[in-house]
Amino acid sequence: MADLRNNFLGIKSPNPFWLASAPPTDRLVNVTRAFKAGWGGVVWKTLGDGDPIVNVSGPRYGAIHGSDRRLIGLNNIELITDRPLEINLQEIKQVKRDWPDRAMVVSLMVPCEEPNWKAILKRVEETECDGVELNFGCPHGMSERGMGAAVGQVPEYIEMVARWCKTHTNMPVIVKLTPNITDIRFPARAAKKGGADAVSLINTISSIMSVDLDQMSPWPVVDGQGTHGGYCGPAVKPIALNMVAEIGRDAETRGLPISAIGGVTTWKDAADFIAMGAGNVQVCTAAMTYGFKIVEEMISGLSKFMDEKGYQTTEDFRGLALPKVTDWQYLNLNYVVKASIDQDLCISCGRCHQVCEDTSHQAITNMVDGKRKFVVKDEECVGCNLCAITCPVQDCITMVPQTKGTDPRTGFEYGRSYANWTTHPNNPGAKAAE
Amino acid sequence: MGSTRAEGIQAGRLTPADYDANFSDIHAPLSRHEAFVESERCYFCHDAPCQTACPTSIDIPLFIREIASGNDLGAAETILSANILGGMCARVCPTETLCEEACVREHAEGKPVKIGLLQRHATDRLMESGKQPFKRVTSTGKKVAVVGGGPAGLSCAHKLAELGHEVTIYEAKEKLGGLNEFGIAAYKATENFAQREVDFILSIGGITVKAGHALGHNLDIAKLRQSYDAVFVGTGLAGVNKLGLSGEDTLSGVVDAVKYIAELRQAKDLSKLPVGRNVVVIGGGMTAVDVAVQSKKLGAESVTIVYRRGQDEMKASAYEQHLAQTSGVTIRTFAQPVSLVGANGKVTGVTFDETEVKGGKLTASGGQYTLPADMVFTAIGQIFVPDGLNGADALALENGRIMVDAERRTSVKHIWAGGDCIAGGQDLTVAAVEDGKQAALSIHHTLMGA
């Protein structure tokens, strides 16, 4: 039986599924419901200092939907907690006492002054929580005040604040990174230099969801105006997964613990991040779309996967995919796949033909012997995968590796040994094969 | 107040609420939500099989995608540009043997996209908007006579008007619409939809309607040819087949189903329309099912369709047969009527020979039974009546109907024909619409030399 117990920086939780710092973790009542539902831990919604911030009372969320109004992307303009610090601290303490086996990490965001950080860390320590997460990520609202992403976009600030925090507390310090930068490795390196115990990523992406064409205003509309918000949900997972991999591959940050965030919706998403090196995952949008019960599917799915593969704990497969992430230039140019259409599964929608014909390589028939039939023309197929991902029937179109014979498209033999761009004759900068 | 068990042919067998319920929309329209969900099931196929299966070649994937993107009126325009009677076709088309049978989801899951209901959703929105999306081009000065204001004639007239011609529709009855108005089962075209659709079609302008004009009575095709640049004949099937049994014309209670349905469709108050307690319907087509189901819905206690061959050979679709059976109609097969039984001038029953197919031929198998009936509907086929078509040149017929070529040109120059009155047709509203459209395009090319 898979053992899902998680140990991240010494913070223990019964499973690797934490709720990210966000609206679901703003108050005792929500977090208690989450723990009852089975969540392994939470990162409490970001605390600030001074007077509580004020949120808009107009719409705070926008979304894009896929088929059947399935939410695939969410954005928000909600700020950090708008409740008094004292109440939050009392509730954090209470919940941690009530649920000692669950992870309780507290997210923080105060102005970039050492006394502010020192002061709030002392207050938070009194709650007996398990650690803190520094919110250097929110791209909206708070960033206009020099906090959130405004800090996360300047590696020197990240390093400075992380160092202050490590100086003023013994609690584990996680730095939450913003994806609104050009290269995620720089803020991650800064966090490490500042002494952070871990990074968590990604925070949300700056975004405008759509335009209300009646009001000619960004949507959601707050009394005739709109502003950019933070984008999250299933649509951002690929961006997050790449950033997690980048940090995992970087010589300077390799081995830095990562709590992965970004569109985790099912056990598979979580397994992807763990395979890419993450120690655990944080979830928000999926809970905000379906409620807390989804953790049951995550627990059951991850357990089943691990049982099938023979992994006892998540450490057994953590990071296994990371060494396979490489640069394009090292991909094997002699590896050849051809699309193959299972005629028994084909329902003759013809979309593979249509997209290949219009936008790719004209490699799929629409007619064979005068009959509607969709067959791959190996002499044209470049193995691009477009047909397979367009096909509405799972496993109907597969990409079959070619090992014997000659490629009718290129005239080359299949199964030639590995060769990449670095040694290719067309590459002006090619090195001699070693 | 009568009841389903009142003897003889009686009106008012049901409560007013029963009539309302029985003759309401047989398929509730999709709600906005349902339409969204359903529209997103469409795969937007290449060279879509549903479109190929549609006699009017409606671009189904496109209109469904328009619905999915919140553009209902655009969807309606896509539909109506191929089929101006797309609203009625959405209600009456046997989609299970046309577009929905061809849908790849039927192939994949046995659950096709509900194309008919989506088409209705879009066209209903357009009808509600009161907009006529098509505009007439500059007048060509050409005049075309359309004889018959049913689906074929209306389709032809609208397309001709759109192309700038002056159209006059001559209709024998007092109202346009043809079978949509007088023949389709009431629960398929509720809320006066047929007339609302006629009004919509006429709203393009350029169409003059002359009701009460019938060929062979007060209309002469030879004169029409002289006064108009072109003539389109879409007169449908004016006659019905007879049983050829004694008492058919003398016994009261023996009724032509087509006539009865027309009466039902025009009835202002269904509680005033008499129907028998024990109804027997002879025939196996759509008309048989329509009259049987509607008799049941009017409160007949027992309704039996008797067809001489097996259920597979009934012209009514499997779907329609199912509708009859779930409406409480009994279908008996392999029996043909041999005599009408009567007393005091009223029909009291029908005697049937049991039949079988031997060596591919239908023969009596020896058995016989009599069904009691106070009302007997004959629904054994409608026939083309060529009266009044013989002008200077007679239109050539084929299998008893007007012969046309692919462009719906008859054997006589400047006369086109379409709908049920032509040979080789499918006797479907949607096929009639296509005939009218193709004839209009052919007329246009001929008159304009383009």
Side-chain angles (χ1 to χ4, degrees):
Chain A
M1 261 307 267
D3 179 356
L4 292 191
R5 281 179 299 175
N6 188 251
N7 184 337
F8 187 75
L9 315 176
I11 305 169
K12 290 180 178 142
S13 56
N15 62 55
F17 304 111
W18 291 8
L19 284 169
S21 169
T25 61
D26 189 31
R27 51 186 65 219
L28 179 143
V29 58
N30 302 82
V31 174
T32 302
R33 291 175 64 84
F35 285 164
K36 279 183 183 161
W39 290 88
V42 300
V43 181
W44 198 275
K45 186 169 165 88
T46 307
L47 310 181
D49 60 10
D51 290 332
I53 61 90
V54 178
N55 267 304
V56 295
S57 294
R60 298 175 191 180
Y61 304 122
I64 60 169
H65 294 101
S67 183
D68 204 12
R69 270 181 79 78
R70 293 279 165 174
L71 188 145
I72 56 176
L74 177 77
N75 103 334
N76 87 92
I77 57 165
E78 187 170 290
L79 304 182
I80 62 174
T81 183
D82 52 15
R83 305 192 310 153
L85 178 63
E86 196 56 41
I87 290 177
N88 276 307
L89 294 171
Q90 279 169 15
E91 289 189 359
I92 291 166
K93 190 166 188 166
Q94 182 67 48
V95 175
K96 184 62 199 177
R97 280 192 180 166
D98 292 346
W99 300 86
D101 69 324
R102 309 302 169 96
M104 171 64 77
V105 172
V106 177
S107 173
L108 299 174
M109 183 195 288
V110 293
C112 267
E113 302 289 344
E114 190 169 1
N116 295 65
W117 286 96
K118 183 178 177 183
I120 198 158
L121 284 166
K122 290 301 156 210
R123 303 293 309 276
V124 171
E125 276 178 356
E126 289 163 14
T127 67
E128 297 173 33
C129 69
D130 299 304
V132 291
E133 184 181 79
L134 315 185
N135 181 344
F136 297 157
C138 285
H140 52 277
M142 301 310 288
S143 54
E144 297 168 15
R145 306 175 199 180
M147 292 181 269
V151 177
Q153 287 166 336
V154 184
E156 292 78 6
Y157 292 170
I158 295 173
E159 184 182 341
M160 175 179 75
V161 179
R163 185 165 290 124
W164 291 340
C165 291
K166 284 305 289 179
T167 305
H168 296 297
T169 184
N170 291 322
M171 292 187 290
V173 172
I174 304 167
V175 169
K176 186 165 179 177
L177 301 179
T178 176
N180 300 297
I181 39 78
T182 47
D183 187 337
I184 195 66
R185 293 173 300 179
F186 290 89
R189 287 169 188 163
K192 191 176 181 192
K193 270 188 211 148
D197 299 290
V199 289
S200 57
L201 70 156
I202 57 173
N203 202 307
T204 55
I205 302 172
S206 293
S207 55
I208 288 176
M209 297 310 277
S210 68
V211 172
D212 181 320
L213 291 176
D214 294 320
Q215 302 188 56
M216 281 298 171
S217 159
W219 177 86
V221 186
V222 180
D223 192 26
Q225 307 179 97
T227 188
H228 77 269
Y231 191 41
C232 53
V236 313
K237 179 195 151 192
I239 296 166
L241 197 56
N242 177 53
M243 287 183 166
V244 165
E246 289 285 288
I247 294 170
R249 293 175 65 207
D250 184 57
E252 289 185 43
T253 52
R254 187 174 296 143
L256 181 65
I258 297 174
S259 181
I261 311 166
V264 174
T265 309
T266 69
W267 72 269
K268 173 67 167 60
D269 302 318
D272 288 357
F273 278 113
I274 293 169
M276 207 59 95
N280 69 10
V281 295
Q282 297 183 30
V283 178
C284 173
T285 308
M288 291 185 70
T289 312
Y290 301 106
F292 291 143
K293 186 182 162 72
I294 52 161
V295 74
E296 292 178 30
E297 173 278 314
M298 294 179 179
I299 290 169
S300 127
L302 188 61
S303 301
K304 189 75 77 194
F305 158 74
M306 287 168 60
D307 287 347
E308 276 171 16
K309 296 287 185 186
Y311 300 129
Q312 299 290 314
T313 72
T314 53
E315 284 303 302
D316 291 350
F317 73 97
R318 188 171 69 81
L320 291 189
L322 200 53
K324 314 283 181 64
V325 183
T326 186
D327 295 342
W328 190 96
Q329 61 181 335
Y330 301 121
L331 296 176
N332 183 3
L333 295 175
N334 286 340
Y335 176 71
V336 178
V337 297
K338 298 284 181 189
S340 172
I341 301 174
D342 184 330
Q343 295 299 329
D344 291 332
L345 289 176
C346 176
I347 59 172
S348 290
C349 71
R351 273 173 41 191
C352 55
H353 162 82
Q354 188 74 81
V355 296
C356 190
E357 200 74 8
D358 284 353
T359 70
S360 201
H361 292 79
Q362 298 79 46
I364 300 177
T365 66
N366 63 340
M367 205 72 92
V368 176
D369 297 332
K371 283 195 175 138
R372 184 179 176 87
K373 191 169 182 184
F374 303 94
V375 178
V376 175
K377 298 183 246 180
D378 281 357
E379 65 276 21
E380 304 294 343
C381 177
V382 302
C384 75
N385 209 28
L386 179 64
C387 56
I389 60 173
T390 309
C391 177
V393 180
Q394 200 168 10
D395 301 329
C396 174
I397 303 182
T398 47
M399 307 307 293
V400 182
Q402 305 294 311
T403 52
K404 283 182 187 146
T406 306
D407 187 340
R409 184 177 74 86
T410 60
F412 289 122
E413 290 291 310
Y414 291 132
R416 289 186 299 156
S417 56
Y418 171 89
N420 65 44
W421 176 245
T422 63
T423 56
H424 196 280
N426 289 14
N427 179 359
K431 296 170 247 169
E434 289 172 16
Chain B
M1 174 57 90
S3 83
T4 54
R5 291 186 169 163
E7 291 294 338
I9 301 176
Q10 298 266 356
R13 291 181 178 274
L14 305 174
T15 66
D18 288 335
Y19 286 109
D20 287 347
N22 289 353
F23 288 90
S24 65
D25 230 322
I26 190 158
H27 296 296
L30 297 178
S31 67
R32 184 80 199 89
H33 170 69
E34 288 170 316
F36 259 132
V37 172
E38 194 60 24
S39 65
E40 287 178 338
R41 294 185 65 229
C42 173
Y43 285 138
F44 203 70
C45 294
H46 157 75
D47 190 14
C50 53
Q51 181 173 2
T52 307
C54 174
T56 56
S57 304
I58 293 172
D59 191 339
I60 294 166
L62 179 60
F63 94 69
I64 294 180
R65 194 171 171 82
E66 288 169 320
I67 292 175
S69 66
N71 181 10
D72 288 345
L73 297 187
E77 199 168 329
T78 298
I79 294 161
L80 298 175
S81 64
N83 178 339
I84 195 64
L85 279 88
M88 185 60 88
C89 288
R91 290 162 165 77
V92 304
C93 258
T95 51
E96 69 281 359
T97 60
L98 296 170
C99 53
E100 291 180 17
E101 183 182 53
C103 177
V104 299
R105 277 196 182 262
E106 167 66 20
H107 181 65
E109 311 155 35
K111 292 189 185 74
V113 174
K114 293 172 183 166
I115 298 167
L117 281 169
L118 285 169
Q119 180 167 321
R120 173 165 176 190
H121 174 81
T123 50
D124 277 0
R125 296 295 84 72
L126 183 77
M127 293 289 278
E128 282 165 13
S129 78
K131 289 178 184 149
Q132 166 66 250
F134 306 101
K135 283 199 174 68
R136 301 191 67 204
V137 301
T138 316
S139 174
T140 62
K142 302 285 185 189
K143 290 161 58 191
V144 183
V146 169
V147 185
L154 288 168
S155 164
C156 187
H158 186 275
K159 184 55 76 181
L160 287 168
E162 189 186 350
L163 293 168
H165 307 295
E166 294 297 325
V167 183
T168 305
I169 300 179
Y170 292 95
E171 167 57 47
K173 294 204 161 78
E174 70 282 9
K175 278 185 192 174
L176 297 186
L179 288 180
N180 289 354
E181 175 61 33
F182 298 96
I184 298 296
Y187 44 76
K188 291 181 189 168
T190 58
E191 291 167 356
N192 205 24
F193 184 78
Q195 284 311 299
R196 287 196 284 131
E197 190 172 57
V198 167
D199 293 343
F200 164 75
I201 289 168
L202 297 181
S203 72
I204 191 170
I207 304 172
T208 307
V209 177
K210 295 197 171 172
H213 286 71
L215 284 178
H217 297 277
N218 51 358
L219 206 55
D220 184 308
I221 196 156
K223 282 187 186 156
L224 286 178
R225 271 190 74 201
Q226 288 162 10
S227 335
Y228 290 89
D229 297 295
V231 178
F232 175 81
V233 178
T235 49
L237 305 175
V240 291
N241 285 320
K242 303 214 108 193
L243 295 173
L245 298 178
S246 155
E248 188 171 3
D249 296 321
T250 51
L251 289 174
S252 75
V254 182
V255 182
D256 163 16
V258 173
K259 232 180 236 172
Y260 187 79
I261 291 171
E263 210 177 311
L264 186 153
R265 285 295 307 276
Q266 300 307 308
K268 291 213 162 49
D269 180 358
L270 290 172
S271 73
K272 301 265 162 51
L273 187 67
V275 71
R277 176 184 178 183
N278 294 311
V279 174
V280 169
V281 178
I282 298 168
M286 294 294 218
T287 305
V289 168
D290 282 353
V291 82
V293 172
Q294 291 182 107
S295 298
K296 193 74 194 161
K297 287 179 181 290
L298 284 170
E301 185 181 30
S302 134
V303 180
T304 307
I305 291 176
V306 184
Y307 178 58
R308 62 199 172 116
R309 292 175 181 270
Q311 232 174 312
D312 291 347
E313 286 162 284
M314 288 176 72
K315 275 187 87 181
S317 65
Y319 169 81
E320 291 289 331
Q321 294 175 38
H322 180 75
L323 172 67
Q325 290 173 312
T326 52
S327 301
V329 171
T330 304
I331 297 179
R332 295 187 69 153
T333 52
F334 290 109
Q336 59 188 11
V338 287
S339 63
L340 295 164
V341 188
N344 305 321
K346 293 179 182 172
V347 72
T348 58
V350 190
T351 301
F352 294 90
D353 268 352
E354 290 173 357
T355 62
E356 62 185 349
V357 178
K358 256 193 182 168
K361 284 187 88 178
L362 192 73
T363 55
S365 60
Q368 200 172 67
Y369 62 82
T370 299
L371 290 181
D374 40 35
M375 198 165 195
V376 176
F377 286 114
T378 59
I380 54 171
Q382 292 169 254
I383 47 173
F384 176 61
V385 180
D387 294 3
L389 280 182
N390 298 334
D393 305 296
L395 295 186
L397 301 187
E398 180 185 345
N399 297 326
R401 300 194 193 181
I402 301 171
M403 187 177 81
V404 295
D405 65 8
E407 290 186 25
R408 279 68 168 181
R409 287 178 293 211
T410 68
S411 59
V412 177
K413 206 176 176 197
H414 290 321
I415 300 182
W416 282 256
D420 290 352
C421 65
I422 63 169
Q426 294 172 275
D427 292 353
L428 290 174
T429 307
V430 65
V433 174
E434 181 66 4
D435 290 340
K437 183 176 85 185
Q438 291 303 335
L441 294 173
S442 177
I443 289 169
H444 179 69
H445 293 146
T446 304
L447 299 187
M448 306 308 288

